[in-house]
Amino acid sequence: MTEYKKTIGIEVHCELKTNTKMFSTSLNGYQTIANKNICAIDLGYPGTLPIVNKYAVELALKAAILLNCKINRTMHFDRKNYFYPDLPKGYQITQARTPIGVNGYVEIEIDGKTKKIGIHDIHIEEDTAKSIHKEDKSYLDFNRAGVPLIEIVTEPDMKSSSEAMAYLEKLKEILYYADISDCKMEEGSMRCDVNVSISKTEKLGVRTETKNIGSISSVGLAINEEAKRQEEVLENGGSIKEETRRYSELENKTILMRVKETGNDYRYFPEADIPYLTLTEEYIEKVKNDIPIMPNERRKIYKKHEISEINIEKIIQDKTISDYLLNFDDINLKIASNLLLGDIKAYLNKENKKLSDTKLTIEKFKTVVNKLDKGEIPNKVFKDILANLLETEKTFDEIVKDNNIETISDTKALLEIVNNILNNNEPSIIEYKNGHDRILKFLMGQIMKETKGSANPSLVNKILLEEISKR
Ligand code: ADP
Ligand code: MG
């Protein structure tokens, strides 16, 4: 029996990180009081006129560039007409005919290979108000009305839930790193609708659309459950209808919301209240040049510094660490990232602080990393002075001095300790000379123990080798 193959296309809505709304000067941001960030434009009062938020266009353009889209140099807005209480104008301003970007792609890694997921288009639109249904009443909160959105529509290019999840992770990473959107699915600043169909042939099956799923892992579950449901319907002689469904995490299944009436007619027509926008080459170039170093480029840099794959992903997951590392181009990034991901992160978590709350200046951090790199201070010293480094304005040298922290660099003292250890470990010296290099580590360990970790490791290493060769 031939298996059914899945086909998936995804529509993502992302709130843009602007200060104000798409077409008004109302604030766009977190607000606990309902209907606070509103004005006559957001409420669709007759006689009001929309004014395009230039920064929103810039963010959308940035997204279009990063998604490898062809940019529409001349674009305009359209009215999508429909009636619903969360949309008092009776139409949503969107871009139907000239989306800012078309024909792009996102590269994902799947089973060790890269695959391009086609982007059909990315367009700018305004969000609607939020309806809240409580008991037998409905409420409207217009804080969200007019919030700038981009909608990113893929081609039906994904073949499995893993590809869909990889696509969403990648998309989120791009939009987040370029400061285009917060991309918080749990807070609704990133929302996705998943179109799923199954077929045994090349011809695509009829699809359903599952809306507003709460997390990327739920997207994976929803796709698999929806495909399973469709297969059961088809195997029982039924047919799939174009319908809108939602995913219930609790029951792990998709639930019918409404059947799509044939051909929704939104009577799209040009928004006559907004003039055509022209994106000049200079402007596009400027926006392109403002794009920060993106995660894939950063991964390459980390790889060159021999940071492990696991740590590379940990750094990328924590943008503050990744951004902090951008301050340095001539230090050992492997050591630096180990400190940041290890002791420093643990400290910050414990104290409930952010890196920017600390007094760890770039200069101070550089000094410490370089000293560790050259073996001039043992790791233990770093641990001892960590709190001082992060909490005081003192330089590294001042901290070491003020706390009487000794890094034994006195050759004579070390020489004595090394020889004592060697005298007590004669069999080990023979083993070492017979080619067991590991023994050196053991001897180093003994010396570090003796000095309570305060000896200068590179100096110890040097003396140890010299003294062994004399025996
Ligand atoms: P609508 O206008 O109803 O939103 P679109 O043609 O814009 O429909 O497609 C919406 C999404 O559905 C796109 O991401 C597209 O790739 C996806 N899609 C279209 N046909 C199929 C199909 N047969 N199976 C799965 N996804 C599909
Ligand atoms: Mg759609």
Side-chain angles (χ1 to χ4, degrees), residues 366-419:
K366 205 167 151 176
T367 308
V368 174
V369 172
N370 283 337
K371 282 193 185 293
L372 284 167
D373 193 19
K374 290 195 200 122
E376 285 174 13
I377 52 166
N379 246 311
K380 183 180 166 296
V381 169
F382 169 75
K383 281 187 200 289
D384 286 346
I385 63 170
L386 179 64
N388 270 294
L389 275 173
L390 297 180
E391 285 168 9
T392 69
E393 313 257 350
K394 291 185 203 167
T395 66
F396 173 80
D397 288 335
E398 285 165 352
I399 294 169
V400 167
K401 194 161 152 262
D402 292 357
N403 291 278
N404 291 323
I405 292 169
E406 282 180 44
T407 64
I408 299 179
S409 290
D410 176 352
T411 316
K412 233 173 113 198
L414 276 179
L415 204 59
E416 203 179 311
I417 296 170
V418 169
N419 274 304

Side-chain angles (χ1 to χ4, degrees), residues 7 9-11 153-156 195 197 204-205 207 260:
T7 298
I10 299 182
E11 295 157 279
V153 184
T154 73
E155 299 293 348
N195 296 272
S197 66
L204 297 185
R207 72 181 145 125
K260 279 201 177 178

Side-chain angles (χ1 to χ4, degrees), residues 243-281:
E243 56 195 23
T244 305
R245 306 181 66 86
R246 69 181 173 84
Y247 174 69
S248 158
E249 270 177 39
L250 216 61
E251 297 166 79
N252 186 27
K253 64 177 195 186
T254 68
I255 296 162
L256 177 67
M257 285 167 77
R258 54 184 180 267
V259 178
K260 279 201 177 178
E261 297 113 42
T262 41
N264 265 338
D265 187 3
Y266 291 120
R267 297 180 294 115
Y268 282 104
F269 58 82
E271 166 62 79
D273 288 341
I274 300 174
Y276 279 64
L277 300 185
T278 306
L279 307 175
T280 62
E281 292 311 313

Side-chain angles (χ1 to χ4, degrees), residues 64-264:
I65 293 168
L66 286 166
L67 303 183
N68 307 295
C69 288
K70 184 179 162 290
I71 310 293
N72 265 317
R73 262 56 176 179
T74 304
M75 53 173 204
H76 66 90
F77 290 88
D78 298 282
R79 291 184 180 183
K80 177 180 178 176
N81 298 280
Y82 67 94
F83 175 76
Y84 202 72
D86 64 12
L87 190 68
K89 291 198 297 295
Y91 58 86
Q92 179 193 31
I93 306 179
T94 180
Q95 295 185 308
R97 285 162 243 231
T98 53
I100 188 161
V102 293
N103 285 336
Y105 63 87
V106 168
E107 254 175 6
I108 61 167
E109 276 90 52
I110 198 88
D111 301 329
K113 292 196 202 95
T114 52
K115 174 175 175 173
K116 280 182 184 169
I117 305 299
I119 300 295
H120 179 273
D121 76 87
I122 159 172
H123 56 268
I124 305 171
E125 58 189 30
E126 58 177 336
D127 211 342
T128 58
K130 205 179 208 162
S131 353
I132 299 143
H133 307 285
K134 258 191 216 153
E135 287 154 19
D136 60 342
K137 292 195 173 63
S138 288
Y139 304 84
L140 286 164
D141 178 0
F142 283 85
N143 286 337
R144 205 182 69 182
V147 163
L149 297 177
I150 42 174
E151 180 175 346
I152 299 154
V153 184
T154 73
E155 299 293 348
D157 281 351
M158 287 154 280
K159 303 287 167 215
S160 67
S161 53
S162 335
E163 289 189 7
M165 289 193 287
Y167 163 72
L168 288 171
E169 294 286 2
K170 217 6 134 322
L171 183 67
K172 189 172 158 179
E173 188 178 287
I174 292 169
L175 299 177
Y176 183 69
Y177 263 81
D179 245 349
I180 293 166
S181 172
D182 276 342
C183 295
K184 289 188 179 150
M185 279 182 83
E186 63 286 4
E187 287 175 19
S189 64
M190 177 170 170
R191 310 193 279 269
C192 64
D193 305 338
V194 185
N195 296 272
V196 180
S197 66
I198 59 168
S199 172
K200 286 186 174 179
T201 64
E202 289 303 304
K203 193 171 171 291
L204 297 185
V206 177
R207 72 181 145 125
T208 63
E209 180 177 16
T210 303
K211 280 205 165 300
N212 287 342
I213 311 171
S215 67
I216 293 182
S217 53
S218 287
V219 167
L221 294 170
I223 289 169
N224 290 337
E225 285 312 309
E226 176 55 17
K228 208 158 86 188
R229 185 195 67 83
Q230 291 184 9
E231 184 167 341
E232 272 163 23
V233 171
L234 293 178
E235 287 300 301
N236 287 322
S239 62
I240 304 299
K241 286 174 209 61
E242 276 211 23
E243 56 195 23
T244 305
R245 306 181 66 86
R246 69 181 173 84
Y247 174 69
S248 158
E249 270 177 39
L250 216 61
E251 297 166 79
N252 186 27
K253 64 177 195 186
T254 68
I255 296 162
L256 177 67
M257 285 167 77
R258 54 184 180 267
V259 178
K260 279 201 177 178
E261 297 113 42
T262 41
N264 265 338

Side-chain angles (χ1 to χ4, degrees), residues 299 302-303 306-318 337-338 341:
R299 286 188 172 95
Y302 303 151
K303 222 177 175 147
E306 293 173 346
I307 299 175
S308 69
E309 289 289 329
I310 292 177
N311 278 1
I312 289 178
E313 290 317 308
K314 277 191 193 158
I315 301 168
I316 297 291
Q317 290 290 319
D318 192 330
S337 60
N338 279 342
L341 292 171

